[in-house]
Amino acid sequence: MSVTQSPFTIISTNVTTEDVDKRNPYVAQWNIALLTIVFCFATFGNCLVLFTLLRRRKHNALMHTFMIHLCLADLVVAFFQVLPQLIWDITDRFQGPDFLCRSVRYLQVVGMFASSYMIVAMTFDRHQAICRPMMTFKKGSARWNIPVCLAWVASGVLSLPQIFIFSKTEVHPGVYDCWANFVQPWGIKAYVTWITLAVLILPALFITTCQVLIFREIHHSLYLGTERSPGSRRKEKLVGGMNGVPPVSDSGVTKAMSKTVRMTLAIVLIYVICWAPFFIAQLWNVWNEKSGTSRK
């Protein structure tokens, strides 16, 4: 069997008792310091943005709704992934019952999925509003934002395997920790590969496709002067008024909508740039048999 300590940081498949007990105190101190900084910045930054967005919620813009839920997803990552790992690094062993172990592991991945899928939902909404404004017009306003709800539901459902994979496990006689057991030799590879596909690669491909279609539509509308019938322009203006999207001018997509798309693209790029090194390192860790592994 193979075991893992944090959601993806892998221990070598040939773990021995001596290897498990090895902990470089300097590395541990740096881990604690770095996680503390990340937690403080993530909490302060997202709380500040969330407070600002909630104060302006009277504008009832769809982008405000997406940004609010994106901040909530990032706060889930901060409080249920970064903070538990910080406490874990301080105590060295998981302190808590089996139920808490499974719950922490579940919520750790929920935050990752939610952060990714909220960006997917936001990008899809921009695609619908710009590339298919008539469909948005027909749907009208709704009490519940369906893409946001689907993002949270998908995050919760896809994280369920964590409850069954991780448990409070005896790592030495009388010593317990929150670990996972994987079937050799493919279990750990399948786990890390699946998480990478579901959290990073597939969402990134979907987002890229939507962005390409959006930019093509903006290019046709703003620079090629795509002709639209007067009736179509009037309906598109109504779409903007009903769905929180800036009204479409006679020349096509407005500059305000184009600015919104640029902001979405910036969020996507930052997300991919921040997560890509982590997932690449984890894939290398499990697929390269000669790679070294660490405890946490």
Side-chain angles (χ1 to χ4, degrees):
M1 305 292 284
S2 175
V3 289
T4 181
Q5 179 83 335
S6 62
F8 307 109
T9 305
I10 310 305
I11 301 176
S12 176
T13 55
N14 56 348
V15 174
T16 64
T17 302
E18 293 76 10
D19 293 332
V20 173
D21 282 333
K22 289 180 181 179
R23 189 191 191 199
N24 189 313
Y26 297 103
V27 174
Q29 291 173 5
W30 276 106
N31 284 343
I32 293 171
L34 181 60
L35 287 173
T36 301
I37 294 173
V38 171
F39 175 74
C40 292
F41 272 97
T43 303
F44 175 77
N46 283 285
C47 287
L48 180 62
V49 174
L50 186 62
F51 175 76
T52 303
L53 291 172
L54 290 176
R55 287 188 60 186
R56 299 181 179 181
R57 197 168 185 177
K58 61 182 180 179
H59 297 292
N60 198 29
L62 278 178
M63 281 302 297
H64 280 195
T65 301
F66 283 112
M67 293 299 295
I68 288 173
H69 284 271
L70 185 58
C71 287
L72 292 175
D74 289 340
L75 287 174
V76 171
V77 174
F79 281 96
F80 296 105
Q81 184 176 41
V82 179
L83 182 60
Q85 192 63 47
L86 172 61
I87 298 173
W88 203 335
D89 281 347
I90 294 174
T91 60
D92 191 32
R93 297 290 184 188
F94 183 83
Q95 305 296 323
D98 180 72
F99 173 78
L100 182 60
C101 165
R102 297 174 187 267
S103 299
V104 168
R105 290 303 193 182
Y106 173 75
L107 291 173
Q108 281 182 326
V109 179
V110 166
M112 294 180 64
F113 274 110
S115 294
S116 178
Y117 291 175
M118 207 58 64
I119 297 177
V120 170
M122 183 167 56
T123 306
F124 177 74
D125 178 81
R126 296 301 89 193
H127 170 268
Q128 292 293 99
I130 294 174
C131 299
R132 298 184 177 181
M134 292 307 300
M135 291 185 62
T136 308
F137 173 76
K138 291 179 181 179
K139 291 178 183 178
S141 59
R143 182 178 180 182
W144 297 100
N145 189 306
I146 295 178
V148 169
C149 293
L150 289 178
W152 282 112
V153 171
S155 301
V157 172
L158 293 177
S159 301
L160 287 176
Q162 293 288 108
I163 299 176
F164 305 99
I165 294 174
F166 290 89
S167 63
K168 193 74 175 290
T169 305
E170 188 175 18
V171 295
H172 308 296
V175 179
Y176 292 85
D177 214 335
C178 186
W179 282 14
N181 295 318
F182 295 103
V183 178
Q184 286 283 7
W186 55 268
I188 191 67
K189 295 179 180 179
Y191 173 78
V192 175
T193 303
W194 154 246
I195 294 294
T196 304
L197 285 171
V199 175
L200 180 65
I201 296 178
L202 293 179
L205 290 175
F206 180 86
I207 290 169
T208 301
T209 302
C210 288
Q211 289 289 353
V212 170
L213 295 175
I214 289 172
F215 288 146
R216 186 178 66 176
E217 178 67 20
I218 291 178
H219 182 266
H220 286 319
S221 300
L222 294 181
Y223 299 104
L224 299 183
T226 304
E227 294 184 357
R228 301 175 183 268
S229 63
S232 175
R233 288 197 293 267
R234 286 195 297 271
K235 290 181 179 180
E236 288 176 352
K237 291 179 182 180
L238 289 174
V239 172
M242 294 180 61
N243 295 279
V245 178
V248 179
S249 64
D250 291 345
S251 62
V253 183
T254 63
K255 292 183 178 179
M257 189 178 292
S258 179
K259 182 179 179 180
T260 300
V261 173
R262 290 197 298 270
M263 182 183 69
T264 305
L265 179 60
I267 295 173
V268 172
L269 289 176
I270 293 173
Y271 174 82
V272 173
I273 291 172
C274 290
W275 273 116
F278 172 77
F279 283 107
I280 291 173
Q282 297 307 317
L283 289 172
W284 176 265
N285 213 12
V286 297
W287 284 100
N288 182 20
E289 298 179 356
K290 298 181 179 180
S291 66
T293 54
S294 59
R295 181 168 180 248
K296 289 189 178 182

